[in-house]
């Protein structure tokens, strides 16, 4: 995984583009009318990680290079998008390649904002909004599966056994979606999942729901999101809900870091919305961060949980994976206690690991490769 990418979806007027702006500090149109965002907005942001900053202090180098997250904001969907309503579901193609989906759901009340679909002004209806978008994602996947199934069945009839196996997987996913369940509800083996990866099904992707609340609804004693979170467990047991006040996050961008931290503390917020969303994305995708210390830079890298050392080496350079010999490693927490590379080596705390070593979150790795 070269970088974590998250596609932002939702109905018009739920604050999707405001969320994108707050997260990426990229100015995008946020006027209060449908289809304001026609072309996808793409913003790349650094992953905040105190460990990288500390590593740069303990092993001073010219550069500190963080891991990054890419956010892709597409036009708001409306009910019937799969049938061509509004601007249709053409925008969904812009997020088929992302790793996870952030579905922005409106919780805030605003008398100047009308709900798209029923025209009700002011009031929010997060459950109804969620169901509309989830249905459109499912219908888009059904359309993609139908096209693929038609091609695959024709190949299977000619005696292609691989095509027959893929057709069976596609048919199971079709039945799952027809029954009102997302494709991720169908249990697939690793081989089966790999066989239909080319479709990039939207409802197979991990989902986080971004509850866009008002500043008042952020108060700890207010629990407007709890009923939504409870109901969500039935449809998407693995999904997570992140509460964020997009308008507040956008306002915080205008403050210097000290003022921003003080304001967040006054509101009882230990972390900003960006950090919470990135943390949710890493949790959904089961990602770990490892670090490298080179001659000119210290750098953070993203790798899937459970990855072995050669796979992590391949993240740094494909040649390192092909010619992998071993990885020398020490965990960040131990390195911080020791305080320097020289001391860590003198104490024998940097271990040598082979191809079967499973990378841990926070590992510092030095790769040795042939050639």
């Amino acid at each position: 995984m070269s970088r974590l990418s998250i596609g932002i979806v939702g109905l018009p007027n739920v604050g999707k583009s405001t969320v994108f702006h707050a997260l990426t500090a990229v100015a995008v149109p946020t006027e209060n009318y449908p289809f304001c965002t026609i072309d996808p907005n793409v913003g790349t942001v650094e992953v905040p990680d105190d460990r990288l900053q500390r590593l740069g202090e303990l092993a001073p180098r010219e550069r500190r290079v963080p891991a990054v997250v890419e956010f892709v904001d597409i036009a708001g969907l409306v009910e019937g998008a799969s049938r061509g309503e509004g601007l249709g579901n053409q925008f969904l193609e812009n997020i088929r390649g992302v790793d996870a989906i952030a579905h922005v759901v409106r919780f805030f009340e605003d008398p100047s904002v009308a709900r798209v679909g029923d025209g009700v002004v002011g009031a929010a209806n997060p459950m109804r909004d969620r169901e509309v978008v989830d249905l459109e994602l499912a219908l888009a996947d059904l359309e993609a599966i139908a096209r693929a199934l038609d091609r695959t069945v024709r190949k299977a009839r000619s005696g292609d056994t691989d095509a027959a196996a893929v057709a069976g997987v596609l048919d199971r996913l079709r039945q799952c979606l027809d029954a009102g369940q997302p494709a991720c509800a169908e249990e697939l083996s690793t081989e089966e999942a790999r066989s239909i990866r080319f479709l990039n099904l939207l409802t197979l992707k991990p989902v986080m729901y971004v509850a866009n609340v008002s500043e008042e609804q952020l108060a700890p004693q207010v629990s407007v999101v709890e009923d939504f979170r409870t109901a969500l467990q039935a449809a998407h047991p693995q999904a997570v809900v992140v509460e964020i006040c997009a308008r507040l996050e956008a306002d915080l961008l205008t403050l210097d870091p000290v003022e921003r931290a003080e304001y967040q503390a006054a509101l009882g917020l230990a972390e900003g919305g960006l950090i919470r969303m990135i943390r949710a994305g890493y949790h959904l995708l089961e990602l770990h961060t490892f670090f490298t210390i080179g001659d000119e830079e210290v750098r953070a890298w993203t790798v899937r949980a459970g990855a072995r050392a050669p796979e992590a080496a391949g993240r740094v350079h494909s040649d390192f994976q092909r010619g992998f010999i071993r990885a020398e490693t020490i965990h960040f927490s131990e390195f911080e206690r020791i305080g320097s590379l020289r001391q860590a080596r003198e104490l024998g705390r940097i271990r040598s690991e082979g191809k079967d070593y499973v990378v841990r979150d926070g590992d510092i790795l030095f790769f040795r490769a042939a050639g």
Side-chain angles (χ1 to χ4, degrees), residues 52-54 56-57 61-66 297-299:
L52 179 65
Q53 302 308 313
R54 181 62 177 147
E57 295 169 0
R61 296 294 188 272
E62 184 178 342
R63 296 187 302 275
R64 300 175 190 175
V65 184
E297 68 180 28
V298 293
R299 184 164 185 156

Side-chain angles (χ1 to χ4, degrees), residues 18 41 69 86 251-252 334:
T18 304
N41 296 303
V69 175
D251 290 343
L252 288 174
E334 185 175 15

Side-chain angles (χ1 to χ4, degrees), residues 97-259:
V98 301
D99 302 304
I101 289 176
H103 180 172
V104 180
V105 182
R106 174 187 163 195
F107 279 77
F108 65 87
E109 308 283 338
D110 189 330
S112 68
V113 177
R115 288 205 309 260
V116 172
D118 57 18
V120 176
V121 176
N125 189 340
M127 289 303 298
R128 173 255 181 197
D129 293 354
R130 177 191 72 78
E131 291 168 357
V132 169
V133 172
D134 283 355
L135 176 60
E136 294 306 322
L137 297 181
L139 291 173
D141 277 354
L142 274 171
E143 182 180 336
I145 288 173
R147 292 195 301 266
L149 194 54
D150 182 60
R151 296 192 303 269
T152 309
V153 167
R154 286 201 300 271
K155 288 183 179 179
R157 286 172 178 164
S158 67
D160 188 326
T161 55
D162 290 338
V166 173
V169 176
L170 291 174
D171 189 57
R172 283 162 51 199
L173 291 171
R174 179 187 60 77
Q175 293 180 53
C176 180
L177 288 163
D178 277 339
Q181 295 293 317
C184 61
E186 180 67 22
E187 292 188 11
L188 300 177
S189 68
T190 301
E191 184 177 343
E192 289 173 335
R194 188 181 297 116
S195 73
I196 53 91
R197 188 180 297 166
F198 69 97
L199 284 176
N200 280 319
L201 295 178
L202 296 166
T203 62
L204 267 181
K205 299 181 185 297
V207 181
M208 74 173 78
Y209 288 87
V210 181
N212 190 9
V213 301
S214 67
E215 187 172 332
E216 294 73 24
Q217 291 170 327
L218 273 176
Q221 66 273 19
V222 179
S223 57
V224 296
V225 179
E226 288 311 308
D227 288 344
F228 177 84
R229 183 180 278 112
T230 300
L232 188 62
Q233 292 304 304
H236 299 294
Q238 304 303 317
V240 297
V241 180
V242 180
E243 294 181 49
I244 180 174
C245 176
R247 185 171 296 177
L248 171 64
E249 294 286 341
D251 290 343
L252 288 174
L253 290 174
T254 65
L255 305 179
D256 65 51
V258 174
E259 290 178 317

Side-chain angles (χ1 to χ4, degrees), residues 3 8 50 115 124 131 134 141 182 233 237 256 266 288 306 318 341 352:
R3 63 176 60 180
I8 304 177
D50 292 339
R115 288 205 309 260
E131 291 168 357
D134 283 355
D141 277 354
Q233 292 304 304
D256 65 51
H288 283 172
S318 58
L341 271 177
S352 181

